[in-house]
Amino acid sequence: MTLNRRHFLLWLGTTVGAVACGGFPQSRQPPAGDRTLQLAFQPIKSPIPLPTSGVAVTQQMADFSTYEVLDDLVLPEGYTYSVIASWGDRVGTSRIGYNNDYLSFIETGKGKGLLAINFEYISAIPWLQTYSQVIGKSLPFEDVQKAVEAATKTARGEQPPGLNAYELDDRDPLKAKVEMICREALIDQGVGVISIQQASNGAWKRTYSPQDRRITGISGLTDGRYLKSTGPAVAVFRKTSGKGYMDKLGDKIIGTFQNCAGGTTPWGTVLSAEENFQGQVPELVYPDGTSFHPKERPFTITTEELGGLGNVFGLAGNKYGWIVEFDPADPQDNGTKHTWLGRYRHEAVGIRVVEGKPLAFYSGCDRQGGHLYKFVSRNTVTDARAKTNSKLLAEGMLYAAQFNPDGTGSWIPLAPGTPVNPTPPTFLSGVMLPLPKRPEGGIFRAEGDEQIRAFKQQFKTLGELYTGSAQEKQGAILIDAHYAANAAGATCTARPEDTVIAPDGSLLIAFTSGSVGKETGSPDLRIFKGPDGSSAYEFGWIMRLLEEDNEPAARSFRWEMIATGGEPASGGAGFANPDNLALDPKGNLWMVTDMSSSKMNQEVPQKRVEPNGKTVSQSSLRGIFGNNSIWYMPLSGETAGHPFLFGMGPMDCETTGPCFTSDAKTLFLSVQHPGEVNGVRKDMAVETRQFSIRTTDGQEFIQTRHVPIGSNWPTKQPNDPPRPSVVAVYRQDRQAIA
């Protein structure tokens, strides 16, 4: 499970021959600490010693005895960045949304193009703190918060906590106040397009063209700019009666939200992934694919995020959790949700387009125990750059991956005729396997193998779990994809957060964390193990998957882990929680991390034992890794296969959505949720904390770390609001990034 250099180099030999220059080294040892590395940059200092940090083991305790965390985007010497756009900036008749994520740069000429941006969710603390200051108007937060607290206290029985604003009288002033807040929060989600151009000094700036626009979480609500839909779930959307809630809009859809990662097609469209939609609308459905009632996801405000934003508007939950395709160059394109790609907590889209072959689209469900999926089109690609390829997404089949411990695997079709064959809880890190509950709708949790045997005796095929015509059953399966995949025996994995196609057609997958969810599930312990063979491993992996005969439509594959997170002394590569992946034009791999904001830079006591005598958990141990980070893995030369630390983000943030210009001279990044935990950094506040750190050979020492409290990024001026922003990273000498 650890980074096996021999395997990595064998992989390089089959993967990057067409894009990487030079031969591959024979040495299997990390570069020596006192040697000059053949890199385009000097890696920045990590909070912990790394095999690639350039510091000999004998010097690591002295060099890492102190560490200063900065509230800035920290880059190697000779590199800089320009801020392109920040939350609240104008875009057409709307604004830049909150928590920018996936980025797609569509070049329209030399040094210019369109930048598509995802806006994922609302971080409650900084958004509530600074909304009026940044946006220039106030919202009735205090009144609504009091109402939410009162409604939660009086909730009875199985009623979810929160305020069911949907069922308030339209004349009730409280409903108007809730609607006002939810409208603004949904405007701050969705996708956007801005036109940009490079200046002579290398910086990128906006040009404010007519193509600049937003598709928000409420597009269509009042302006008629509904999103479209294709595929079998449309038959469910068009139903006029059913077991559950329907919004009476047929195949029209209001908005898109929780837009996390994505992908870009060769024909110039962008695919945006709706991830944690269950926070805003009900996820669970009835056997006919219709939604649970909006009251099942009432409006809430917590210190983490705003939830139930769709409640007051009566949004139908089965219309969210999809992949949205839109054309940045077409201002009239409001977006299309392709239901053959499945409804689940999408994190990204890996797009494989081979002329003469079917399309293959890969995506992961970012939850504990989530699955890896592949859509294969019914028809084949004729011209990879033809806009008509979008029509191929309207017909095909969705598959879920089943991994075997021996490094093989197969794809299970999510079709009515597929046998019911869930994985027994015996093989999971935890004991829960949520399955469809029938005939009531929703789910139940199978906590023992006997429940699985009973389930298989009661239901023989997926079609028996769903109702309606053949088309409606297929649509209901796609709407309920995660739970249908559980029933079919797809492997429960470790939060698959990104899927990227390598130059040879193989798939790279970032599995962020093997932790166990109390409510959601857990990964298969036969596949997802730590370097010591332990289950529930927190720090994540990068996997390579190769289809049989390298065919996009293959039904079987081989897989192997090519990198494992964690401390070097424990067999890890030095990072924690890999998230987005990207390949630069030279074929080198880039990765950004996604540690929980609440865990970053939290103290780790001496000997890693809490005052109560308990050993520090792996989750809390993430405090040693500092802020979320940016990593570079060269694919040629003596350093091939080793991760090097390229950058660190501001306080509490993620750096997400890395993408490159075709000349490899600019790296675009989203800096998401700075100040998420502590909000505005007041008067440049800083704390001194102590950390138990280990050298690369396992010797413990104590590090004194200076940690800013809150954030003022991107202005970095005292008491300024933290604002999620998109930046362009480039070298000051205008050469390639790496």
Side-chain angles (χ1 to χ4, degrees), residues 594-609:
D594 180 14
M595 294 183 291
S596 299
S597 301
S598 62
K599 299 298 182 181
M600 289 187 284
N601 292 297
Q602 295 305 301
E603 284 191 319
V604 176
Q606 188 172 12
K607 298 186 184 301
R608 303 186 175 185
V609 176

Side-chain angles (χ1 to χ4, degrees), residues 4 7 17 182 207 214 222 230 270 298 305 368 394 398 410 565 575 601 622 625 630 648 676 702 709 720 726:
N4 186 315
H7 287 168
C182 293
T207 58
R214 285 292 317 281
T222 59
T230 70
V270 173
E305 62 181 301
Q368 289 136 328
L398 182 68
S410 59
F575 55 77
N601 292 297
R622 288 178 292 175
F625 294 95
I630 309 163
M648 299 282 284
E676 183 166 59
I702 298 300
I709 307 302
D720 270 6
V726 176

Side-chain angles (χ1 to χ4, degrees), residues 139-190:
L139 293 173
F141 293 130
E142 187 174 348
D143 290 348
V144 172
Q145 281 181 307
K146 288 180 180 178
V148 170
E149 291 170 3
T152 300
K153 287 180 181 178
T154 58
R156 297 178 180 178
E158 297 182 358
Q159 180 180 339
L163 175 64
N164 179 19
Y166 177 72
E167 293 185 335
L168 292 175
D169 191 293
D170 288 345
R171 295 167 294 182
D172 189 332
L174 177 59
K175 187 168 188 176
K177 291 178 180 179
V178 174
E179 184 175 321
M180 189 183 305
I181 292 173
C182 293
R183 183 183 299 271
E184 293 300 309
L186 287 172
I187 287 173
D188 273 341
Q189 298 177 55

